[in-house]
Amino acid sequence: AQSVTQLGSHVSVSEGALVLLRCNYSSSVPPYLFWYVQYPNQGLQLLLKYTSAATLVKGINGFEAEFKKSETSFHLTKPSAHMRDAAEYFCAVSGSYNTDKLIFGTGTRLQVFP
Amino acid sequence: DADVTQTPRNRITKTGKRIMLECSQTKGHDRMYWYRQDPGLGLRLIYYSFDVKDINKGEISDGYSVSRQAQAKFSLSLESAIPNQTALYFCATSDLYGYTFGSGTRLTVV
């Protein structure tokens, strides 16, 4: 069985500051990990995904995440926050690549202050 | 047209009513999913289907049923709606290349 835990339901940063959103996973098989973003009143958009190729994954909009097996983590980072990054972010895990159900975390709402 | 289309986009219904949410896809994917989103709880899996003859319960299937009428269609029913089923519902599909989500159905049960 797979699960993810997102630490911090709300994160606030100033514009230009580092963004760090935390995700820890639990999986009985090698996991496939995803980060999705949901802007206000919109659907889900894929930011990036880990598919066991490279541990450092680069996504859209300047985001990246690093898979750390020893820490069972897949934290999302961005060096410099923009106002447009304000959204809700979801970490998700699957037991197989794109062909199994996605299990989502509870989400982290990112606020960016000027 | 969107790859995954959910209808209706918004719906208000009364307690005790039966309601169906529909999902259709043009991706040609065998795998389809229904999730509900609640504030602070993220997205939780209701039902999923890996092909037309395969239906599986997710983590919160009580009070819901589904029908996979064809490869392209996967409907979610609330047999007798209750207020705590008020939520945003997402349909999704997947194949080896990725997952595709619909735009969601916002359901309010009063």
Side-chain angles (χ1 to χ4, degrees):
Chain A
Q2 291 84 36
S3 66
V4 290
T5 301
Q6 291 186 242
L7 300 175
S9 59
H10 290 82
V11 171
S12 298
V13 300
S14 299
E15 194 171 22
L18 172 71
V19 176
L20 171 61
L21 305 183
R22 300 178 185 273
C23 174
N24 288 90
Y25 71 89
S26 173
S27 180
S28 56
V29 297
Y32 295 90
L33 294 157
F34 305 77
W35 276 100
Y36 283 86
V37 61
Q38 185 180 35
Y39 298 102
N41 299 312
Q42 294 190 26
L44 294 168
Q45 181 179 3
L46 179 67
L47 274 178
L48 50 81
K49 57 188 175 186
Y50 167 73
T51 61
S52 76
T55 57
L56 183 61
V57 182
K58 294 187 183 298
I60 61 172
N61 302 337
F63 284 93
E64 63 181 36
E66 186 173 7
F67 174 73
K68 292 187 177 181
K69 184 177 179 180
S70 61
E71 299 178 7
T72 62
S73 68
F74 190 57
H75 301 331
L76 182 70
T77 61
K78 182 174 181 178
S80 177
H82 292 273
M83 296 294 291
R84 63 177 176 264
D85 295 326
E88 189 154 24
Y89 293 79
F90 295 97
C91 182
V93 64
S94 173
S96 63
Y97 182 50
N98 293 335
T99 56
D100 197 2
K101 53 192 182 295
L102 276 176
I103 303 301
F104 286 85
T106 53
T108 297
R109 184 166 297 278
L110 176 66
Q111 287 186 301
V112 183
F113 294 101
Chain B
D1 289 342
D3 294 325
V4 179
T5 302
Q6 293 185 233
T7 55
R9 291 295 308 274
N10 293 281
R11 179 73 181 267
I12 301 174
T13 192
K14 293 184 177 181
T15 298
K17 292 291 188 181
R18 183 180 189 275
I19 182 170
M20 179 181 289
L21 309 183
E22 300 193 12
C23 177
S24 63
Q25 52 120 340
T26 58
K27 302 285 288 184
H29 292 172
D30 286 326
R31 296 166 186 261
M32 299 188 74
Y33 313 83
W34 274 105
Y35 292 87
R36 67 176 278 177
Q37 182 182 4
D38 299 276
L41 297 179
L43 281 82
R44 293 178 292 166
L45 184 64
I46 306 172
Y47 271 97
Y48 60 104
S49 170
F50 285 168
D51 65 41
V52 174
K53 297 180 181 179
D54 176 79
I55 302 289
N56 303 282
K57 292 183 177 181
E59 57 183 307
I60 54 163
S61 59
D62 287 349
Y64 301 94
S65 62
V66 291
S67 173
R68 185 80 185 267
Q69 302 95 321
Q71 185 199 43
K73 296 184 181 295
F74 192 36
S75 301
L76 177 72
S77 294
L78 287 67
E79 297 301 326
S80 179
I82 56 176
N84 77 359
Q85 292 177 311
T86 293
L88 181 58
Y89 290 84
F90 285 103
C91 175
T93 71
S94 75
D95 70 354
L96 284 174
Y97 299 100
Y99 296 87
T100 304
F101 284 83
S103 298
T105 293
R106 187 167 297 279
L107 177 67
T108 303
V109 183
V110 297

